[in-house]
Amino acid sequence: MLASIREKVEAGKRLSYEDGLWLEEQADLFTLGELANVVRERKNGNFAYYNVNTHLNPTNVCVYRCTFCAFRADLRDPKGYVMSDADILARAAEADERGATELHIVGGLHHQLPYEWYLNVVRIIHEGYPRLHLKAYTAVEWDWFARLTGRSTRELLQEFKEAGLGSLPGGGAEIFHPEVRDKICEHKADADSWVRIHREAHALGLRSNATMLYGHIEEARHRIDHLCRLRQLQDETGGFQTFIPLAFHPDNTKLSHIKKASGVTDLRVMAISRLMLDNFPHIKAYWVMLGIRTAQVALSFGADDIDGTVVHEKIYHDAGSDSPQEISVTELRRLIEEAGRVPVERDTLYHEVVRTPKQWKTGKRLELVAAE
């Protein structure tokens, strides 16, 4: 079986569900890394990408009670908060001053805030700081907005795009298979809704990312099913940029009895993701969840992106992530170079970022950089 899989990988042919399941259950770690690296270098050469970004979580009050979440708060919970317009604009100003190219906006689904409040977050930031690319709201949030308004998600996406929305993050995917999803997040947007919303975003010209939360109650077959569903949508739309495997952090959640996935598991999932998602340009090693050392090693196990400076991240730190709250560009570049890769700064849409002492500008798409 391994010989057949190796032949497919080297020839650039697609792996089947059965191939993926065999890799999950039978392949050793170093074989997975070797094969994933073939795909990684075919797509991105020896480059590894990073960006300068800041996170904004406007509220943590949430109507849903997902078992894996440590970030959410009830309405009267002392840790609950809602950021004011002034607070939001101050965060945007800080990001702009630091030279960030992206503001990553996700948060809770506050059942007493109107749809217009969420729209206003994007509108005021875009009006005040138009150079910031706004990657905002997961498919679960878009589904909630549709429930609030009785309008279609496609119509809402268009309205947000006109207000300054630049792209969608990949969160909320968790695990698509209902055997798992119904247990860990039974009331929020299901897999079909997640897929439909990203399809609609792509049709409107909005690029997006995709994720998979692993290391909780799911099994290997659920992970491979998840990857195949993402691959199918990418065949249809071509709108996904990056896949991010998200390691579950059990601390302070209702699943705190589960042991956190090991670094070996993290690298296996990374490599198998790269092998199965043959039509995804990029695979990201999100250092906030993996930890800096594992993320660095992942650059030899299929990952070509290490994310960015990630200032003010709250969701995974509330769940026990012990990674730093932020990391400098100098440190990101050092980590990439130590891994034997060539660091390249990108913007959200994977254009090369070229900096001078007082300003930055975007260059050509990084697919062209890698090809060179």
Side-chain angles (χ1 to χ4, degrees), residues 154-171:
R154 184 185 177 97
E155 181 182 350
L156 301 176
L157 285 162
Q158 180 63 47
E159 186 170 22
F160 266 85
K161 183 180 178 183
E162 292 167 1
L165 176 69
S167 64
L168 271 62

Side-chain angles (χ1 to χ4, degrees), residues 304-320:
D304 61 273
D305 192 309
I306 202 167
D307 207 307
T309 49
V310 194
V311 184
H312 297 299
E313 195 287 322
K314 291 180 63 66
I315 294 175
Y316 302 116
H317 283 91
D318 282 356

Side-chain angles (χ1 to χ4, degrees), residues 90-132:
R91 180 65 57 80
E94 177 190 348
D96 189 65
E97 177 66 23
R98 294 169 66 101
T101 60
E102 171 190 289
L103 201 57
H104 179 113
I105 307 170
V106 296
L109 303 172
H110 195 307
H111 45 295
Q112 291 189 2
L113 291 175
Y115 162 77
E116 290 73 21
W117 183 85
Y118 297 91
L119 177 62
N120 183 63
V121 171
V122 168
R123 178 176 287 131
I124 63 174
I125 295 173
H126 181 65
E127 289 176 352
Y129 303 93
R131 290 199 70 184
L132 285 174

Side-chain angles (χ1 to χ4, degrees), residues 4 26 51 57 67 81 178 188 206 275:
S4 172
Q26 301 293 330
N51 69 333
N57 309 123
T67 59
Y81 70 87
K188 72 181 188 181
L206 294 166
L275 290 166

